[in-house]
Amino acid sequence: MTASTPLNPALTTWTGHEGLPRFDLVKDTDFAPAFEAAFMTHEAEIDEIAGNGDAPTFDNTVIALEIAGDELSRISSLFWNKAGADTNDTIQALERDIAPKMSRHYSKIGMNAALFKRIDTLWQNRESLGLDVEATRVLERHWKGFVKSGAKLAKDEQERLAAINETLAGLGAKFGQNVLADEKNWALFLENDEDLAGVPDFLRDAMAAAASDRGEMGKYAVTLSRSIIEPFLTFSDNRALREQAFRAWVARGENDGETDNRGLIAETLALRAEKAKLLGYDNYAALKLDNTMAKTPAAVNGLLMQVWEKAAARAREEEADLAKLIAAEGRNHDVMPWDWRHYAEKLRAEKFNFSEGELKPYLQLEKIIDACFDVAQRLFGITATEKKGIAGYHPDVRVFEIRDAAGKLVALFLGDYFARSSKRSGAWMSSFQSQHKLTLKNGTVGELPIIYNVCNFAKPAEGKPALLSLDDARTLFHEFGHALHGMLSNVTYPSVSGTGVSRDFVELPSQLYEHWLTVPDILKRYAVHYQTGEPMPEALLGKVLAASTFNSGFATVEFTSSALVDMAYHTAETQGEPMALEAATLEKIGMPKSIVMRHRSPHFLHVFSGDGYSAGYYSYMWSEVLDADAFAAFEETGNPFDPDMARKLRDNVYSVGGSIDPEDAYKGFRGKLPSPDAMLAKKGLAA
């Protein structure tokens, strides 16, 4: 970058509605020069803090660090949103360049000896600083962050660690792009009635829209978006097509050629193991778990295996039931992975006298969004109002104001609900801006949280409503639970705001929120037929609730096997061929041949597209232990919206972020830590 390179002020000065970024003023080509300038600005800020001639204080060191890098944070939030939710060739090329540069930048900060000396001085003298609990937590987070960044290592070890981190960042970016490419480039186009046998109208509409998007008018596309592939596997009567689609789905990232991720996995695991050894840990899992509720790999594997044994036993019973259905149809084949969803749906219809297809007309996207907002209002007193005509980062994105009971604006929320080829798969919450109360360098006091949810629901044909599966509706509630964690945050410091908590606590607010979807009053009010407006019949509602644990063996085996493989990768004493380790781990635990991991390694984005859930996929289950027990607290009152419990939940979980220890946070709400019993009972897996 040269001094004359013009920088787009819209990247860092957000002048949109209530401080929203003006996405329409940002071009893809603006990011590269802006990143270079922001890196230099942040470096200058760090040098100023590290070189301060005054003795270190919490204000001149920790708070200074908390507010440094604001420009870089703003540019990064816009860029990584674009890279995940609406990418293109220009953004992907820049992502491959920026990811290692970002790692190099933060490695340099983490290994700044003068800066660490100031932090270490404060940490060693923390008892005499008069800090409150939140400030102490923030100091601890910075100190541990520096130590894990190699601040205590010798110079040559620091250089090696920085190189490892830089390489890992590039590998993660490439991994995610490869999966997206495989998803984008594969489609199965269907035309005749034989190919479409069993496919219900709502799915045909979604497949027709997907085909149209790919320039194949008049055809129907099976894509690798979960919102299409899963219902196709559920309803299609054509077993050969189900197998073809399923094999493509599980082979993402494993197709040889440029998008094959197996080599990236091997390199990633080897570098992570080396990094852990450099920092003094036995393995990478021990490094990642050091600051979590679980604390050790043994604790994680203990929970996973306790659940695995019950889930595998239940799955074997479920498989036997499906085999009987197959035999009753006069077919002579085993239950294979491309059969499970299809025959499980038939079994559900037989046992509970309803099907997913019968349920789906009652689950309109618009109504489920309304249900999310209504639950938030009844629990926490906040309201959501959509602001039409405000540009998001894509035409599909919707903007909402979130206000408290007094009418004060507390957050902005953006919803991005439909699948598209420029968006990576899955669903997630993130933020453009996090809540805090510090005074920034520009004089702004505190910041309003700007939170967004991204989903991948099938976009309906023009003029038709988007209809969700029950699993889709749960996903919507789940991600809005994360959003509430960000929007209800009430802390002083940015680093502990909202979802700035340990990995195995962050899923509690989201998974807990899912429970309110199936509260009878919510379903009665919002599960209404898209054509007639009639509420879901009482009989169907009863069947849905009665079937809540149906197929739980399958679902739990899918998840737990993925979590166990994740832990096996990151606790292995020697790094062998990853696919061999995956296979050996599954064989060791007795993985049924009729079920495949929810995320096979070559497309395991949680673990390999970044560092977020590496040695941490278990955290969904760890949090599930918490969320089952937490909802039981409401059930014990007889009121799922009990105001006293809701207040405790907001004050001790949703609003405190990482400002207190997660165990203390949970005990502040519930009075005790939970056992797995409520979680196992919720899944129908209790002894």
Side-chain angles (χ1 to χ4, degrees), residues 474-592:
R474 285 197 183 98
T475 296
L476 191 69
F477 264 69
H478 178 100
E479 297 306 332
F480 194 68
H482 278 310
L484 286 170
H485 202 185
M487 294 189 294
L488 296 175
S489 179
N490 184 25
V491 300
T492 300
Y493 305 99
S495 65
V496 293
S497 178
T499 55
V501 299
S502 66
R503 180 61 64 191
D504 51 12
F505 192 74
V506 77
E507 295 298 334
L508 168 60
S510 54
Q511 292 179 183
L512 175 58
Y513 205 68
E514 292 179 40
H515 289 264
W516 276 278
L517 169 64
T518 50
V519 166
D521 183 53
I522 294 299
L523 283 178
K524 287 177 185 176
R525 188 174 300 195
Y526 294 101
V528 298
H529 198 281
Y530 77 98
Q531 291 174 319
T532 67
E534 291 294 314
M536 184 184 293
E538 288 279 354
L540 181 55
L541 174 59
K543 293 170 186 175
V544 170
L545 297 177
S548 62
T549 62
F550 175 73
N551 210 35
S552 63
F554 168 83
T556 309
V557 162
E558 262 198 328
F559 170 84
T560 312
S561 58
S562 297
L564 285 165
V565 168
D566 173 32
M567 291 303 297
Y569 278 143
H570 294 106
T571 55
E573 292 185 5
T574 57
Q575 294 298 323
E577 202 281 311
M579 295 301 95
L581 181 55
E582 178 191 273
T585 302
L586 297 177
E587 182 179 4
K588 180 180 178 181
I589 62 176
M591 182 74 170

Side-chain angles (χ1 to χ4, degrees), residues 202 356 359-366 368-369 418 457-458 466-474 476:
F202 73 82
E356 183 74 33
L359 183 62
K360 202 156 188 172
Y362 293 95
L363 298 175
Q364 303 170 64
L365 172 62
E366 292 305 312
I368 301 303
I369 292 172
F418 296 124
F457 305 135
L467 301 179
L468 306 181
S469 67
L470 189 60
D471 187 55
D472 287 337
R474 285 197 183 98
L476 191 69

Side-chain angles (χ1 to χ4, degrees), residues 314-382:
R314 175 61 58 82
R316 286 191 287 271
E317 295 171 2
E318 293 169 355
E319 182 179 358
D321 289 339
L322 301 186
K324 291 175 185 176
L325 276 184
I326 293 171
E329 290 185 352
R331 300 177 185 273
N332 183 28
H333 62 76
D334 292 337
V335 181
M336 297 302 289
W338 47 90
D339 297 317
W340 193 295
R341 288 171 177 80
H342 184 69
Y343 285 98
E345 182 60 23
K346 290 187 174 186
L347 183 61
R348 192 222 313 256
E350 180 182 293
K351 288 184 71 171
F352 299 99
N353 196 27
F354 84 94
S355 69
E356 183 74 33
E358 184 182 356
L359 183 62
K360 202 156 188 172
Y362 293 95
L363 298 175
Q364 303 170 64
L365 172 62
E366 292 305 312
K367 293 293 185 182
I368 301 303
I369 292 172
D370 289 344
C372 274
F373 293 151
D374 187 22
V375 170
Q377 193 279 323
R378 295 168 74 175
L379 286 173
F380 306 125
I382 60 173

